[in-house]
mmCIF file of all heavy atoms in Angstrom:
data_model
loop_
_atom_site.group_PDB
_atom_site.id
_atom_site.type_symbol
_atom_site.label_atom_id
_atom_site.label_comp_id
_atom_site.label_asym_id
_atom_site.label_seq_id
_atom_site.Cartn_x
_atom_site.Cartn_y
_atom_site.Cartn_z
ATOM 1 N N TRP A 122 49.952 24.136 -25.465
ATOM 2 C CA TRP A 122 50.888 25.265 -25.443
ATOM 3 C C TRP A 122 51.987 25.076 -26.486
ATOM 4 O O TRP A 122 52.404 26.025 -27.148
ATOM 5 C CB TRP A 122 51.499 25.424 -24.053
ATOM 6 C CG TRP A 122 50.591 26.099 -23.078
ATOM 7 C CD1 TRP A 122 49.938 25.535 -22.022
ATOM 8 C CD2 TRP A 122 50.216 27.484 -23.086
ATOM 9 N NE1 TRP A 122 49.172 26.477 -21.380
ATOM 10 C CE2 TRP A 122 49.328 27.681 -21.993
ATOM 11 C CE3 TRP A 122 50.540 28.572 -23.896
ATOM 12 C CZ2 TRP A 122 48.776 28.922 -21.702
ATOM 13 C CZ3 TRP A 122 49.984 29.815 -23.607
ATOM 14 C CH2 TRP A 122 49.112 29.973 -22.523
ATOM 15 N N ASN A 123 52.468 23.832 -26.613
ATOM 16 C CA ASN A 123 53.504 23.562 -27.602
ATOM 17 C C ASN A 123 53.033 23.902 -29.011
ATOM 18 O O ASN A 123 53.773 24.478 -29.816
ATOM 19 C CB ASN A 123 53.914 22.088 -27.540
ATOM 20 C CG ASN A 123 54.653 21.747 -26.263
ATOM 21 O OD1 ASN A 123 55.161 22.619 -25.589
ATOM 22 N ND2 ASN A 123 54.703 20.474 -25.945
ATOM 23 N N ARG A 125 50.503 25.972 -29.697
ATOM 24 C CA ARG A 125 50.129 27.389 -29.776
ATOM 25 C C ARG A 125 51.314 28.274 -30.168
ATOM 26 O O ARG A 125 51.159 29.216 -30.961
ATOM 27 C CB ARG A 125 49.549 27.863 -28.445
ATOM 28 C CG ARG A 125 48.947 29.271 -28.526
ATOM 29 C CD ARG A 125 48.294 29.686 -27.221
ATOM 30 N NE ARG A 125 47.502 30.886 -27.409
ATOM 31 C CZ ARG A 125 47.992 32.128 -27.348
ATOM 32 N NH1 ARG A 125 49.276 32.315 -27.099
ATOM 33 N NH2 ARG A 125 47.208 33.173 -27.544
ATOM 34 N N VAL A 126 52.484 27.989 -29.628
ATOM 35 C CA VAL A 126 53.621 28.856 -29.953
ATOM 36 C C VAL A 126 53.977 28.747 -31.434
ATOM 37 O O VAL A 126 54.441 29.728 -32.033
ATOM 38 C CB VAL A 126 54.848 28.522 -29.081
ATOM 39 C CG1 VAL A 126 54.576 28.794 -27.626
ATOM 40 C CG2 VAL A 126 55.328 27.102 -29.279
ATOM 41 N N LEU A 129 51.308 30.805 -33.241
ATOM 42 C CA LEU A 129 51.500 32.219 -32.917
ATOM 43 C C LEU A 129 52.680 32.795 -33.688
ATOM 44 O O LEU A 129 52.615 33.922 -34.213
ATOM 45 C CB LEU A 129 51.717 32.370 -31.407
ATOM 46 C CG LEU A 129 51.584 33.772 -30.809
ATOM 47 C CD1 LEU A 129 50.187 34.335 -31.082
ATOM 48 C CD2 LEU A 129 51.852 33.730 -29.311
ATOM 49 N N ASN A 135 53.405 37.778 -30.942
ATOM 50 C CA ASN A 135 54.447 37.888 -29.927
ATOM 51 C C ASN A 135 54.465 36.612 -29.101
ATOM 52 O O ASN A 135 53.636 36.426 -28.211
ATOM 53 C CB ASN A 135 54.190 39.110 -29.039
ATOM 54 C CG ASN A 135 55.344 39.398 -28.107
ATOM 55 O OD1 ASN A 135 56.008 38.481 -27.614
ATOM 56 N ND2 ASN A 135 55.594 40.669 -27.848
ATOM 57 N N VAL A 136 55.410 35.728 -29.388
ATOM 58 C CA VAL A 136 55.460 34.432 -28.712
ATOM 59 C C VAL A 136 55.751 34.610 -27.231
ATOM 60 O O VAL A 136 55.150 33.946 -26.383
ATOM 61 C CB VAL A 136 56.521 33.528 -29.366
ATOM 62 C CG1 VAL A 136 56.645 32.220 -28.602
ATOM 63 C CG2 VAL A 136 56.151 33.256 -30.818
ATOM 64 N N ALA A 137 56.678 35.500 -26.897
ATOM 65 C CA ALA A 137 57.032 35.714 -25.492
ATOM 66 C C ALA A 137 55.818 36.172 -24.699
ATOM 67 O O ALA A 137 55.569 35.711 -23.577
ATOM 68 C CB ALA A 137 58.157 36.735 -25.387
ATOM 69 N N GLU A 138 55.039 37.080 -25.279
ATOM 70 C CA GLU A 138 53.833 37.553 -24.601
ATOM 71 C C GLU A 138 52.817 36.429 -24.457
ATOM 72 O O GLU A 138 52.147 36.296 -23.437
ATOM 73 C CB GLU A 138 53.218 38.716 -25.385
ATOM 74 C CG GLU A 138 51.979 39.307 -24.726
ATOM 75 C CD GLU A 138 51.402 40.457 -25.523
ATOM 76 O OE1 GLU A 138 52.121 40.990 -26.399
ATOM 77 O OE2 GLU A 138 50.242 40.829 -25.271
ATOM 78 N N GLY A 139 52.724 35.594 -25.502
ATOM 79 C CA GLY A 139 51.797 34.475 -25.438
ATOM 80 C C GLY A 139 52.164 33.490 -24.352
ATOM 81 O O GLY A 139 51.307 33.004 -23.607
ATOM 82 N N LEU A 140 53.447 33.206 -24.210
ATOM 83 C CA LEU A 140 53.890 32.267 -23.180
ATOM 84 C C LEU A 140 53.763 32.862 -21.789
ATOM 85 O O LEU A 140 53.628 32.140 -20.806
ATOM 86 C CB LEU A 140 55.336 31.846 -23.439
ATOM 87 C CG LEU A 140 55.550 30.909 -24.626
ATOM 88 C CD1 LEU A 140 57.030 30.626 -24.825
ATOM 89 C CD2 LEU A 140 54.801 29.609 -24.418
ATOM 90 N N SER A 141 53.817 34.180 -21.681
ATOM 91 C CA SER A 141 53.695 34.812 -20.369
ATOM 92 C C SER A 141 52.315 34.604 -19.768
ATOM 93 O O SER A 141 52.112 34.805 -18.572
ATOM 94 C CB SER A 141 53.991 36.315 -20.478
ATOM 95 O OG SER A 141 52.949 36.985 -21.183
ATOM 96 N N LYS A 142 51.363 34.177 -20.596
ATOM 97 C CA LYS A 142 50.021 33.911 -20.084
ATOM 98 C C LYS A 142 49.973 32.630 -19.267
ATOM 99 O O LYS A 142 49.006 32.377 -18.555
ATOM 100 C CB LYS A 142 49.024 33.830 -21.242
ATOM 101 C CG LYS A 142 48.837 35.150 -21.980
ATOM 102 C CD LYS A 142 47.846 35.011 -23.119
ATOM 103 C CE LYS A 142 47.675 36.329 -23.859
ATOM 104 N NZ LYS A 142 46.719 36.218 -25.002
ATOM 105 N N MET A 143 51.006 31.813 -19.402
ATOM 106 C CA MET A 143 51.087 30.623 -18.556
ATOM 107 C C MET A 143 51.288 31.055 -17.109
ATOM 108 O O MET A 143 51.851 32.105 -16.813
ATOM 109 C CB MET A 143 52.279 29.746 -18.951
ATOM 110 C CG MET A 143 52.130 29.001 -20.238
ATOM 111 S SD MET A 143 53.554 27.879 -20.428
ATOM 112 C CE MET A 143 53.295 27.295 -22.089
ATOM 113 N N ARG A 144 50.875 30.210 -16.195
ATOM 114 C CA ARG A 144 51.156 30.476 -14.796
ATOM 115 C C ARG A 144 52.658 30.436 -14.568
ATOM 116 O O ARG A 144 53.371 29.652 -15.170
ATOM 117 C CB ARG A 144 50.473 29.432 -13.898
ATOM 118 C CG ARG A 144 48.955 29.505 -13.939
ATOM 119 C CD ARG A 144 48.361 28.329 -13.215
ATOM 120 N NE ARG A 144 48.756 27.065 -13.844
ATOM 121 C CZ ARG A 144 48.497 25.878 -13.323
ATOM 122 N NH1 ARG A 144 47.863 25.780 -12.182
ATOM 123 N NH2 ARG A 144 48.867 24.769 -13.951
ATOM 124 N N GLN A 145 53.154 31.290 -13.682
ATOM 125 C CA GLN A 145 54.584 31.351 -13.421
ATOM 126 C C GLN A 145 55.124 30.020 -12.922
ATOM 127 O O GLN A 145 56.291 29.706 -13.081
ATOM 128 C CB GLN A 145 54.867 32.463 -12.393
ATOM 129 C CG GLN A 145 54.658 33.860 -12.946
ATOM 130 C CD GLN A 145 55.547 34.153 -14.133
ATOM 131 O OE1 GLN A 145 56.745 33.861 -14.104
ATOM 132 N NE2 GLN A 145 54.978 34.715 -15.194
ATOM 133 N N MET A 150 56.810 23.877 -18.436
ATOM 134 C CA MET A 150 55.942 23.876 -19.612
ATOM 135 C C MET A 150 56.361 24.988 -20.581
ATOM 136 O O MET A 150 56.380 24.801 -21.798
ATOM 137 C CB MET A 150 54.485 24.064 -19.179
ATOM 138 C CG MET A 150 53.475 23.836 -20.294
ATOM 139 S SD MET A 150 51.772 24.184 -19.797
ATOM 140 C CE MET A 150 51.539 22.969 -18.502
ATOM 141 N N GLN A 151 56.704 26.149 -20.029
ATOM 142 C CA GLN A 151 57.161 27.247 -20.876
ATOM 143 C C GLN A 151 58.427 26.851 -21.640
ATOM 144 O O GLN A 151 58.562 27.121 -22.834
ATOM 145 C CB GLN A 151 57.445 28.483 -20.026
ATOM 146 C CG GLN A 151 56.204 29.133 -19.452
ATOM 147 C CD GLN A 151 56.528 30.421 -18.718
ATOM 148 O OE1 GLN A 151 57.528 31.067 -19.005
ATOM 149 N NE2 GLN A 151 55.701 30.790 -17.767
ATOM 150 N N ALA A 152 59.355 26.209 -20.927
ATOM 151 C CA ALA A 152 60.603 25.802 -21.565
ATOM 152 C C ALA A 152 60.345 24.823 -22.704
ATOM 153 O O ALA A 152 60.944 24.930 -23.781
ATOM 154 C CB ALA A 152 61.537 25.180 -20.526
ATOM 155 N N ALA A 154 57.692 24.588 -24.448
ATOM 156 C CA ALA A 154 57.065 25.317 -25.553
ATOM 157 C C ALA A 154 58.132 26.055 -26.370
ATOM 158 O O ALA A 154 58.071 26.074 -27.610
ATOM 159 C CB ALA A 154 56.031 26.298 -25.006
ATOM 160 N N TRP A 155 59.109 26.654 -25.685
ATOM 161 C CA TRP A 155 60.189 27.330 -26.404
ATOM 162 C C TRP A 155 60.995 26.329 -27.238
ATOM 163 O O TRP A 155 61.397 26.618 -28.370
ATOM 164 C CB TRP A 155 61.109 28.053 -25.419
ATOM 165 C CG TRP A 155 60.617 29.378 -24.942
ATOM 166 C CD1 TRP A 155 60.274 29.728 -23.660
ATOM 167 C CD2 TRP A 155 60.411 30.563 -25.733
ATOM 168 N NE1 TRP A 155 59.869 31.040 -23.608
ATOM 169 C CE2 TRP A 155 59.946 31.576 -24.854
ATOM 170 C CE3 TRP A 155 60.583 30.856 -27.087
ATOM 171 C CZ2 TRP A 155 59.650 32.858 -25.313
ATOM 172 C CZ3 TRP A 155 60.284 32.141 -27.540
ATOM 173 C CH2 TRP A 155 59.823 33.124 -26.655
ATOM 174 N N LEU A 158 59.143 25.493 -30.323
ATOM 175 C CA LEU A 158 59.270 26.585 -31.289
ATOM 176 C C LEU A 158 60.630 26.534 -31.979
ATOM 177 O O LEU A 158 60.729 26.699 -33.199
ATOM 178 C CB LEU A 158 59.087 27.931 -30.589
ATOM 179 C CG LEU A 158 59.213 29.168 -31.483
ATOM 180 C CD1 LEU A 158 58.152 29.148 -32.573
ATOM 181 C CD2 LEU A 158 59.103 30.434 -30.653
ATOM 182 N N ASN A 174 65.783 31.198 -24.519
ATOM 183 C CA ASN A 174 64.624 31.487 -23.664
ATOM 184 C C ASN A 174 64.222 30.254 -22.858
ATOM 185 O O ASN A 174 63.820 30.366 -21.703
ATOM 186 C CB ASN A 174 63.446 31.969 -24.514
ATOM 187 C CG ASN A 174 63.526 33.450 -24.835
ATOM 188 O OD1 ASN A 174 63.734 34.275 -23.957
ATOM 189 N ND2 ASN A 174 63.384 33.798 -26.095
ATOM 190 N N CYS A 178 64.132 29.981 -18.719
ATOM 191 C CA CYS A 178 62.913 29.640 -17.975
ATOM 192 C C CYS A 178 63.184 28.675 -16.821
ATOM 193 O O CYS A 178 62.529 28.750 -15.777
ATOM 194 C CB CYS A 178 61.871 29.002 -18.906
ATOM 195 S SG CYS A 178 61.050 30.143 -20.014
#
Side-chain angles (χ1 to χ4, degrees):
W122 281 108
N123 291 341
R125 189 176 192 275
V126 296
L129 195 59
N135 189 325
V136 176
E138 182 180 344
L140 288 177
S141 70
K142 294 180 181 179
M143 287 187 188
R144 294 171 299 172
Q145 290 300 314
M150 190 184 298
Q151 290 185 25
W155 279 116
L158 179 61
N174 277 311
C178 286

